[in-house]
């Protein structure tokens, strides 16, 4: 039952929390020789991952592994630890590893490493496996499913099992999803002995990128960055209404950015933030729900998004910088809205903030913020242009100058922070009746931001690969974790530097082990999800899914999006976000793109993948199996189902975003014309989300009435998608006959795309008709411009025929084929900007605000809530 008493329920169920922590870092708390093995093997795994990510193998020409070999060894480590660290039956053998588990662990490691050990032999017989190969492949699939069940539970295991059965039983399936079927030998070979199934792109991303980012987060947490983020958030926001809850949102968001796991974030930051929220007046259910909503959204937030973001780079075929650019605005407005929701909840209960030691005046606060913004701007410009100038002048030798400057900045910031008392790590029962001072709190750990700066710099400015960027950031983090204690001892004249260095070495070792054990679930999840991808390539179910979903949705794109969202939520309830993303994006992303094209809506591929990604993450707090909600309920003492429902009501704001950016891609910063357009988009999106938050919470300046809620929802829709109304007044496009293609091409500016409706026969023999977008390079004549895009056409009466499509050209990528006809040329109509719809929306918002303020004035001031001490 939910306990709404703020002072009750502070006694955390330690056993439940420990269970969740063990789930994240390894289910067994082994002792004796087993504990040593479970310490050494993860340590070796981390060292292996750092080795293959570094340039050292190529410098020394030793230990160079190709991608297939790396994936094989990666999965061998993950499989071994899944059997050794997780018991067959929960609660049994919690402190020991029985002999049969060691045997299974070694067998799993052997089958996973088979591609590496017998790489040369397998390369000599591609497509013709021998009996030994097939036995190992079938055993490997069975062991992988069992490893997944142990580490992650039944849901993903069942999903993978269903797809294996589907591969074998294709001829016996209903006609709408039937296929010719695959033999057991073909299935085993396809899934295990190549790179189409288990050892495919998903496991490759886990091997290359994800491990390093998880390790980077483990190093930051061990170094004290997590505690630093929490304290800074409370110092900055604790004095506001519901301040501890707002600080929990910011702290959990910052921690979630680096952890990449909703559950891990809940059980680390939540043990401190949830009891504190309860003590200032939040009921247990809402305290847990705020933590869940903040933790799940951390994976949506650049620059370090969840593991699935790195898969997007491979699946969509764009750089990680592009993924960051498209994800930044939805993530920002989602977090702003969550802080606002917490504010509204605090206003409902008329809460007050925690008392500050020093109360600055309004002028002092404004001066501090202005100085901070100016300082950050000057520092950013100095670093960007200063480093850029050095790189231009020094060329390849710039590294030898910039590295000492970075180290000097680190030493200076540690020395600066050493002037202030170190931040103690508060326990869940700590009483926070006074807030720490902002200045000293912020200054103590500024050097923690340097590794993140290095990571962002490498990703965005140097344009390094995510793997190399994460490697250099991790190397710098390793240096920090080893040296921060001796440096602090030096600046504080404490001496005993050796003990500090020794403690740093221990912290580093434990971080390497923790990072690897946190990767066990992700490693086996990406491998198991590869079974789904392999099934798609083996059976052709991707084409079948298009027909199936079109049949269910009746060709309606909105219904199809809703169908996809529900599938993502259902799968994500028991699947890790990464596995959920792989499964749903493999099956549903092509369906949304193709059906959208048939209905005249050209949906960018990144928008579709982010759509799936968002709903996969939201599943972490969706009842009845929202794992993050269960973790939060274990801490708050509330009912997990009610916590999940409350968390999902907070996350409705995130759930509407994917639908909005499918129809209005400006929210993903696609199609903007300049800075003014960007500012208008940001302003309208933030305002819309705040208004939507007020509508869903039933409270703005005072309690909203039903007609006010309807008005707020109407304003939200208009601000998010002004084109819906504007298209009814001014049609956005005009359809011309395909025979007028050449005239239109002659009118289009250089490097601007054209939109066509084309029809013809697909590879499967079906007649299709769809809209497509074709980029048009510059050229002297329309014929030359089309030829540069890879397209040759001929006019026969009123029909424009496609005569030739170059392989690999823009025309082929757009979906055109030889023998098709171009039926319609879509031409944009000149019309006033759709943003004019913001004017009546904002006027209506002003009227609602006026009505609410008058009503609040008539209600009078309610007594303030006094937090229990």
């Amino acid at each position: 039952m939910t306990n709404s008493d703020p002072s009750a329920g502070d006694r955390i169920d330690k056993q439940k929390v420990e269970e969740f922590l063990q789930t994240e870092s390894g289910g067994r708390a082994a002792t004796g020789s087993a504990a040593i093995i479970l310490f050494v093997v993860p340590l070796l795994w981390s060292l292996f991952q750092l080795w293959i990510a570094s340039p050292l193998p190529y410098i020394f020409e030793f230990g160079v592994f190709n991608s297939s070999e790396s994936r094989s060894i990666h999965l061998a480590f993950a499989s071994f630890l899944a059997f050794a660290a997780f018991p067959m039956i929960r609660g049994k053998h919690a402190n020991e590893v029985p002999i049969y588990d060691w045997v299974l662990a070694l067998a799993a490691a052997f089958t996973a490493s088979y591609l590496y050990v017998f790489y040369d032999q397998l390369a000599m017989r591609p497509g013709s496996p021998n009996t030994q190969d097939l036995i190992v492949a079938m055993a490997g699939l069975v062991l992988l499913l069992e490893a997944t069940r142990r580490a992650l539970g039944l849901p993903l295991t069942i999903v993978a099992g269903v797809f294996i059965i589907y591969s074998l039983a294709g001829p016996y399936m209903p006609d709408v999803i039937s296929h010719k079927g695959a033999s057991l030998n073909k299935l085993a070979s396809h899934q295990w002995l190549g790179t189409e199934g288990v050892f495919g792109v998903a496991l490759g991303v886990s091997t290359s990128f994800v491990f390093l980012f998880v390790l980077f987060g483990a190093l930051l947490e061990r170094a004290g960055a997590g505690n630093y983020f929490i304290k800074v958030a409370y110092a900055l926001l604790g004095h506001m209404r519901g301040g501890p809850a707002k600080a929990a949102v910011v702290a959990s968001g910052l921690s979630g950015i680096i952890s990449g796991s909703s559950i891990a974030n809940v059980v680390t930051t939540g043990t401190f933030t949830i009891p504190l929220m309860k003590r200032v007046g939040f009921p247990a259910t809402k305290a847990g729900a705020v933590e869940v909503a903040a933790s799940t959204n951390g994976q949506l937030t650049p620059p370090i998004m969840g593991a699935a973001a790195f898969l997007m780079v491979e699946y969509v075929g764009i750089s990680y910088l592009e993924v960051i650019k498209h994800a930044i605005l939805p993530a920002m407005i989602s977090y702003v809205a969550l802080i606002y929701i917490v504010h509204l909840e605090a206003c409902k209960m008329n809460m007050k903030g925690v008392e500050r030691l020093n109360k600055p005046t309004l002028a002092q606060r404004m001066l501090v913020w202005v100085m901070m913004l100016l300082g950050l701007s000057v520092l950013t410009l100095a670093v960007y242009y200063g480093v850029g100038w050095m790189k231009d002048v020094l060329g390849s030798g710039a590294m030898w100058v910039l590295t000492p400057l970075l180290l000097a900045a680190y030493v200076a910031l540690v020395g600066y922070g050493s002037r202030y008392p170190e931040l103690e790590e508060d326990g869940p029962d700590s009483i926070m009746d006074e807030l720490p001072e902002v200045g000293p709190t912020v200054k103590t750990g500024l050097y923690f931001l340097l590794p993140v700066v290095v990571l962002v710099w490498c990703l965005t400015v140097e344009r390094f690969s995510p793997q190399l960027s994460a490697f250099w950031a991790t190397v710098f983090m390793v240096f920090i974790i080893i040296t921060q204690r001796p440096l602090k001892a030096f600046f504080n004249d404490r001496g005993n530097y050796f003990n500090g260095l020794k403690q740093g070495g221990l912290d580093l070792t434990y971080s390497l082990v923790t990072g690897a054990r946190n990767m066990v679930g992700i490693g086996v999840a990406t491998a198991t999800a590869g079974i789904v991808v392999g099934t798609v390539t083996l059976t052709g179910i991707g084409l079948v899914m298009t027909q199936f979903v079109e049949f269910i949705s009746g060709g309606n794109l909105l219904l199809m999006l809703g169908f996809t969202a529900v599938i993502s939520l259902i799968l994500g309830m028991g699947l890790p976000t990464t596995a959920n993303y792989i499964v749903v994006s493999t099956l549903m992303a092509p369906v949304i793109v193709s059906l959208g094209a048939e209905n005249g809506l050209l949906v960018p591929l990144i928008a579709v993948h982010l759509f799936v990604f968002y709903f996969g993450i939201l599943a972490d707090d969706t009842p009845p199996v929202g794992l993050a909600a269960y973790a939060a309920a274990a801490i708050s003492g509330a009912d997990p189902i009610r916590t999940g429902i409350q968390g999902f009501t907070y996350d409705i704001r995130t759930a509407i975003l994917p639908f909005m950016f499918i129809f209005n891609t400006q929210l993903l910063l696609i199609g903007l014309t300049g800075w003014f357009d960007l500012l208008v988009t940001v302003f309208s999106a933030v305002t819309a989300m705040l208004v939507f938050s007020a509508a869903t919470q039933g409270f703005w300046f005072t309690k909203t009435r039903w007609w006010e809620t309807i008005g707020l929802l109407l304003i939200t829709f208009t601000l998010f998608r002004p084109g819906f109304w504007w298209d009814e007044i001014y049609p956005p496009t005009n359809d011309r006959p395909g025979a007028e293609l050449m005239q239109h091409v002659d009118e289009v500016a250089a490097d601007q795309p054209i939109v066509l409706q084309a029809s013809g026969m697909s590879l499967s023999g079906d007649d299709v008709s769809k809209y497509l977008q074709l980029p048009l390079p510059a050229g002297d004549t329309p014929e030359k411009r089309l030829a540069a895009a890879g397209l040759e056409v001929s006019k026969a009466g009123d029909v424009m025929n496609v005569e030739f499509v170059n392989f690999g050209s823009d025309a082929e990528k757009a979906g055109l084929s030889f023998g098709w006809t171009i039926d319609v040329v879509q031409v944009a109509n000149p019309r006033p900007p759709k943003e004019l719809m913001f004017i009546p929306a904002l006027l209506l918002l002003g009227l609602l605000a006026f009505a609410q303020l008058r009503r609040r004035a008539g209600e009078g001031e309610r007594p303030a809530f006094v937090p229990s001490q």
Side-chain angles (χ1 to χ4, degrees), residues 681-696:
T681 300
V682 172
F683 169 78
S684 61
V686 172
T687 306
M689 189 54 79
L690 295 180
V691 171
F692 181 75
S693 301
T696 55

Side-chain angles (χ1 to χ4, degrees), residues 114 125 128-139 185 188 193:
Y114 190 76
R125 51 177 187 268
S128 303
N130 59 28
T131 304
Q132 175 183 300
D133 297 339
L134 293 174
I135 291 173
V136 169
M138 286 186 279
N185 289 352
L193 300 177

Side-chain angles (χ1 to χ4, degrees), residues 1-5 8-9 16 278 283-285 633-634 636-643:
M1 291 185 60
T2 303
N3 191 339
S4 59
D5 179 6
K16 289 183 179 179
K278 290 170 65 180
T285 301
S636 68
D639 179 72
I641 300 297
R642 294 184 65 180
T643 301

